[in-house]
Amino acid sequence: MTTIAKRILSGNEAVARGAWEGGCHFAAAYPGTPSTEILENIIKYPDIYTEWSVNEKVALEACAGASFVGARALTAMKHVGLNVAADPMFTLGYTGVTGGLIIVTCDDPGMWSSQNEQDNRHYARHAKIPLLEPADSNEAKLFTQMAFELSEKFDSVFLLRLTTRISHSSGIVELGSRKEIPIKGYIKDIRKRLVLPAHARILHQKLEERLKKIAEYGEIFPYNKIEWGDLNLGIISSGVSYMYAKEVFPEASFLKLSLTYPLPRNLIKKFARQVKKILVIEEGDPILEQEIKAMGIEVIGKEKIPLCGELDPTVIKKSFGKRVYKPKFDLKDIPERPPVLCPGCPERGVFYVINKLKLIATGDIGCYTLGALPPLNAMDTCICMGASVTNAHGMDKAGGKELSKKLVAVIGDSTFFHMGVTGLMNAVYNKGNLNLIILDNLTTAMTGHQPHPGTGRLAHGEEGKRILPEDVARGCGVEFVKVVDPMNLKETEQAIKEALDFEGVTVLIFRSPCVFLKKPQPSLVVDIEKCNGCKLCLRLGCPALRLERIVGREKPVAFIEPTLCNGCGLCIQVCHHGAIHSSKKD
């Protein structure tokens, strides 16, 4: 008897395993929660060439190039990353593939780490690309493997959609061996890959024919399946919503959909004919619901199921008035713990100065977005990757000189390479007065310290060519470029004032390693005899600092929690009374 090896894997780990077993040759991605761990785990398989790309568009285009020579390729990104990659994706829907090509999108219902909760199932229909939705880790692995086969069988890019709960929860996965697929090699075919209007018109017709064939296949696809139960209640669902619905309505009949674009219409009609009432339970937008209603089938959907936020069994139970378990403790009694920059973060001092100078700051995506929160309050906008630069340029042009002298754009180093460079070039070209601050902590900190061009390290840790932001800025024509140590508050303030006084585009690079990349210094302590409780140090927003009452003192005094403090020294610089010093004895 053959024993099947099994392992507990997260959905992201399972996708990586599926890529390896499916014969993937090439993988590229830009990190972004909840998708980051997919490439981090593919890196562990030496049979697959892997790279961190500067953004999602670049990653997809590189994968498309690999597919053009007949290699199997995969790119992974968070949901908003697909917006960046949408331009090539729509045209790749026309060209089709040579080697199998998979785009993994990890959506974030509930916005646990995102600026919106867009439902990327819309992209499948919009770009006319077939969509697979796994419901657990095992299906995540299986569907990744299958997507390569289906991609080559139907000559189509495939979209694989996970959500946060699938990406980060773990389940038992059946392991297999790698399928060795030879790279087919490049054959010139301009009618397929050179998308001139004359070629594109023909490719569009082929795309529509392809979708009809995939829709026919969806009727027999084994993971679009009916599970008969009580015929009084039928439930149509997909992805993790299917798992939640099974838990809440174990007695019902189910139509579990996994290939959700194009929809298996005949299978849906067959199911609808047999059950008395139909619920469509889906997370996010009413995509299945609207498609099924358009077929003339009466269903209950978003009038019961919440449109916003993440689903779970409790949410579904409440939606249908079912009894829910009440916890023994009241969650309202738990004190709030707001997100905050890490103790010792080199970005804190820059935000402290921006707040002190009462500047207007356009912000960007990264852990430094936390500089917007009290007490720093040092950010006015945050839209998407790279928008800090272009927002500031627009505000400069429309707001006039007085506004420009108070306006700075703040962006991280990885985000600068991702999407900030084009905004900088635009400001220089259009004679702007942009004051760009690059917070260079020498890593992509928010997603787990992945490398980028400014680190000079590649995905596997080996040395690559380092590209410095100051060289890029000078290459873009910026005349005022300065590298500053953000741990020195006096220099930080002076540099920002100089930049604001300069006519034209300026770039300040505040370079200091992320606190997790350096050895902590001895913790600091407060001399309570010198501290008068003025609270000035608390304006830094450092979680290691708080006030504490002392017997015999009318006002509380500052206290530094030694388990959190790493001795960065910023609080020493802001204390006017010399009350803070190192705990290390001379």
Side-chain angles (χ1 to χ4, degrees), residues 30-33 35-37 40 43 52 168 366-367 414 441-452 455 457 459 514 516-517:
Y30 181 80
T33 305
S35 70
T36 308
E37 300 84 4
E40 285 184 333
I43 288 171
W52 288 114
H168 289 169
C367 49
S414 185
N441 61 5
L442 303 168
T443 189
T444 313
M446 188 176 187
T447 49
H449 301 97
Q450 293 77 22
H452 59 68
T455 67
R457 287 183 292 108
C514 171
F516 290 105
L517 300 181

Side-chain angles (χ1 to χ4, degrees), residues 331-378:
L331 295 176
K332 289 184 292 187
D333 295 337
I334 300 174
E336 289 187 11
R337 187 182 173 195
V340 65
L341 292 170
C342 301
C345 174
E347 294 156 0
R348 174 173 282 103
V350 178
F351 287 122
Y352 172 79
V353 172
I354 289 173
N355 177 290
K356 180 183 174 185
L357 298 178
K358 302 189 185 311
L359 302 179
I360 299 165
T362 54
D364 225 293
I365 305 294
C367 49
Y368 51 91
T369 313
L370 297 171
L373 301 179
L376 295 168
N377 299 312

Side-chain angles (χ1 to χ4, degrees), residues 8-18 37 41 44-45 167 170:
I8 295 175
L9 298 176
S10 71
N12 284 350
E13 291 172 322
V15 169
R17 179 75 188 193
E37 300 84 4
N41 281 281
K44 299 173 183 174
Y45 298 103
S167 288
S170 298

Side-chain angles (χ1 to χ4, degrees), residues 19 74 143 162 246 283 289 292-293 305 382 397 431-432 487 529-530:
L74 179 147
F143 289 5
L162 277 65
K246 283 287 283 187
E283 200 169 49
E289 178 187 335
I292 295 168
K293 281 181 175 175
I305 302 292
C382 181
K397 289 292 184 183
K431 299 181 179 179
M487 305 312 292
E529 297 302 323
K530 294 182 179 178

Side-chain angles (χ1 to χ4, degrees), residues 271-459:
F271 182 72
R273 284 195 295 269
Q274 299 295 319
V275 295
K276 193 172 180 181
K277 181 174 74 173
I278 300 176
L279 308 180
V280 175
I281 297 180
E282 57 187 324
E283 200 169 49
D285 294 338
I287 295 174
L288 296 177
E289 178 187 335
Q290 289 177 352
E291 290 270 2
I292 295 168
K293 281 181 175 175
M295 293 164 59
I297 297 171
E298 188 178 339
V299 301
I300 299 168
K302 288 299 176 183
E303 61 264 50
K304 290 283 189 181
I305 302 292
L307 185 63
C308 303
E310 188 178 25
L311 294 186
D312 61 33
T314 301
V315 171
I316 296 172
K317 283 179 182 176
K318 287 180 178 176
S319 299
F320 293 95
K322 294 174 80 78
R323 186 177 178 184
V324 297
Y325 167 77
K326 290 186 178 178
K328 292 179 180 177
F329 54 88
D330 193 341
L331 295 176
K332 289 184 292 187
D333 295 337
I334 300 174
E336 289 187 11
R337 187 182 173 195
V340 65
L341 292 170
C342 301
C345 174
E347 294 156 0
R348 174 173 282 103
V350 178
F351 287 122
Y352 172 79
V353 172
I354 289 173
N355 177 290
K356 180 183 174 185
L357 298 178
K358 302 189 185 311
L359 302 179
I360 299 165
T362 54
D364 225 293
I365 305 294
C367 49
Y368 51 91
T369 313
L370 297 171
L373 301 179
L376 295 168
N377 299 312
M379 199 173 285
D380 291 74
T381 67
C382 181
I383 304 297
C384 63
M385 300 282 272
S388 63
V389 189
T390 40
N391 285 167
H393 174 66
M395 291 171 71
D396 159 48
K397 289 292 184 183
K401 195 169 183 179
E402 191 174 335
L403 178 74
S404 297
K405 290 301 176 189
K406 296 180 180 177
L407 180 63
V408 293
V410 182
I411 194 168
D413 45 345
S414 185
T415 315
F416 173 70
F417 288 108
H418 177 280
M419 203 58 85
V421 177
T422 50
L424 177 62
M425 287 190 288
N426 182 67
V428 174
Y429 170 63
N430 287 295
K431 299 181 179 179
N433 283 302
L434 174 72
N435 296 303
L436 179 59
I437 289 174
I438 301 174
L439 301 170
D440 187 359
N441 61 5
L442 303 168
T443 189
T444 313
M446 188 176 187
T447 49
H449 301 97
Q450 293 77 22
H452 59 68
T455 67
R457 287 183 292 108
L458 305 184

